[in-house]
Amino acid sequence: MRWDAACGPTARRISLPNNGSISQGGRAGVLVTRPPPGLAETIATLAARGWRPVAAPMLDIVTCPLASYGASPPQAVVVTSSQAVAAIARPDLVGIPCYAVGAATARRARAAGFAHVRIAPEGTAQGLGRMLSAQIMPSAGSLLLAVGQGYAMDLARDLRDVGFRVRRRTVYRVTRRRQLDGPGHEMLMAGQAAAVLFFSPRTAQAFMAALTPAQRLALAHVRAIVISERTARVLDAALWRSVEVAPTPDSIGMLSRLGAGPLPVGPFSDMP
């Protein structure tokens, strides 16, 4: 879907290489607003596809220790974001079936040692809830829902409504960055940004709140590539060249909507 503008303490910042200098000609730049760990993978993939990516993460992630989940182990672990995986990758949990919201989260769960990982076919929290209801029984035990602070409240409620005992545990906190600076600011103000990628509504909110009036004006020739309709609704379409929703709510859909870049492939061309 495409909306044209006419239609109305543990967290740390990271430095990633950019594919060329800010002065490299044309609108080949793409600002990537997602936080690590997905940030580095997206930067590499964009460079391999002919874009000049700039790391512009608008959220910082603080991992929290997993609180007790009760005397007996859950029948399943449920994760709605890859940010939750590090906190739950423990010997007492990796052998339990893990239900992940999407392919990227599932990959990180497998890499962290989870042996039995299932993926919600729709790539959404609602799809994850439907999959759990269809595949497992509430009577078989509780669910450990590992989330960020303030996240997945609706999913927890929906699962409880159909009889599941849900142990919702906060395993990370999200803080917003207050300004867009550094290479992201330079690229935008130099008129070299072709697009900004938004992987969540909260990231889009943080980006828009951080902009100065001059930065907002610079968006008029920039595409916003968003992961979902919910994310699109955060943005004022009148400020952008276009607001474009990925055909599927994942990195593959985002990159498909963005298309190929105008540059020869960069130094990460041997990476997926």
Side-chain angles (χ1 to χ4, degrees), residues 75 136-142 162-165:
Q75 66 161 316
I136 61 178
M137 296 295 294
S139 58
S142 65
V162 295
F164 285 103
R165 287 177 291 133

Side-chain angles (χ1 to χ4, degrees), residues 12-32:
R12 63 187 180 89
R13 300 194 180 206
I14 67 169
S15 176
L16 291 169
N18 297 319
N19 183 20
S21 67
I22 293 298
S23 62
Q24 190 171 338
R27 283 190 178 270
V30 178
L31 277 65
V32 184

Side-chain angles (χ1 to χ4, degrees), residues 67-113:
S68 171
Y69 52 78
S72 59
Q75 66 161 316
V77 175
V78 183
V79 284
T80 59
S81 169
S82 61
Q83 302 292 350
V85 171
I88 59 172
R90 306 182 348 178
D92 56 329
L93 293 176
V94 293
I96 294 171
C98 176
Y99 288 78
V101 72
T105 302
R107 283 196 301 271
R108 293 197 176 94
R110 292 188 183 103

Side-chain angles (χ1 to χ4, degrees), residues 18 22 54-56 179-189 215:
N18 297 319
I22 293 298
V54 165
Q179 60 186 7
L180 175 67
D181 52 17
H185 163 76
E186 294 173 26
M187 177 175 282
L188 183 62
M189 298 310 295
Q215 289 172 333

Side-chain angles (χ1 to χ4, degrees), residues 13 29 40 55-56 76 104-105 132-133 143 146 163 186 209 221 236 242 245 248 252 266:
R13 300 194 180 206
T105 302
L132 287 163
S133 297
L143 303 178
E186 294 173 26
H221 301 287
D236 182 350
S242 60
V245 181
T248 56
I252 293 173

Side-chain angles (χ1 to χ4, degrees), residues 17 67 71 121 205 226 238 248 257:
Q205 290 169 345
V226 303
T248 56
R257 178 60 68 198

Side-chain angles (χ1 to χ4, degrees), residues 7-249:
C7 296
T10 55
R12 63 187 180 89
R13 300 194 180 206
I14 67 169
S15 176
L16 291 169
N18 297 319
N19 183 20
S21 67
I22 293 298
S23 62
Q24 190 171 338
R27 283 190 178 270
V30 178
L31 277 65
V32 184
T33 61
R34 71 188 311 187
L39 175 60
E41 179 182 356
T42 302
I43 289 280
T45 303
L46 287 168
R49 296 187 178 205
W51 294 102
R52 184 153 50 92
V54 165
M58 299 309 300
L59 303 176
D60 288 311
I61 308 300
V62 180
T63 299
C64 308
L66 175 64
S68 171
Y69 52 78
S72 59
Q75 66 161 316
V77 175
V78 183
V79 284
T80 59
S81 169
S82 61
Q83 302 292 350
V85 171
I88 59 172
R90 306 182 348 178
D92 56 329
L93 293 176
V94 293
I96 294 171
C98 176
Y99 288 78
V101 72
T105 302
R107 283 196 301 271
R108 293 197 176 94
R110 292 188 183 103
F114 282 91
H116 311 287
V117 181
R118 297 172 175 84
I119 307 171
E122 300 167 36
T124 65
Q126 293 83 358
L128 184 58
R130 284 190 286 271
M131 180 176 69
L132 287 163
S133 297
Q135 294 188 5
I136 61 178
M137 296 295 294
S139 58
S142 65
L143 303 178
L144 173 60
L145 176 58
V147 299
Q149 187 176 46
Y151 286 84
M153 304 289 284
D154 289 348
L155 176 59
R157 183 200 63 225
D158 292 345
L159 290 170
R160 289 174 179 136
D161 284 348
V162 295
F164 285 103
R165 287 177 291 133
V166 180
R167 297 167 180 169
R168 183 181 171 278
R169 297 292 184 267
T170 295
V171 295
Y172 65 92
R173 292 188 293 107
V174 178
T175 59
R176 295 183 180 185
R177 297 197 180 181
R178 299 301 179 185
Q179 60 186 7
L180 175 67
D181 52 17
H185 163 76
E186 294 173 26
M187 177 175 282
L188 183 62
M189 298 310 295
Q192 295 180 347
V196 182
L197 303 188
F198 296 109
F199 287 80
S200 72
R202 194 167 292 196
T203 302
Q205 290 169 345
F207 181 86
M208 297 307 299
L211 296 183
T212 65
Q215 289 172 333
R216 283 176 171 263
L217 289 175
L219 300 176
H221 301 287
V222 180
R223 300 162 63 197
I225 309 297
V226 303
I227 198 166
S228 66
E229 298 274 5
R230 284 185 60 213
T231 307
R233 287 194 289 270
V234 171
L235 303 175
D236 182 350
L239 294 175
W240 300 83
R241 174 186 168 189
S242 60
V243 175
E244 305 172 38
V245 181
T248 56

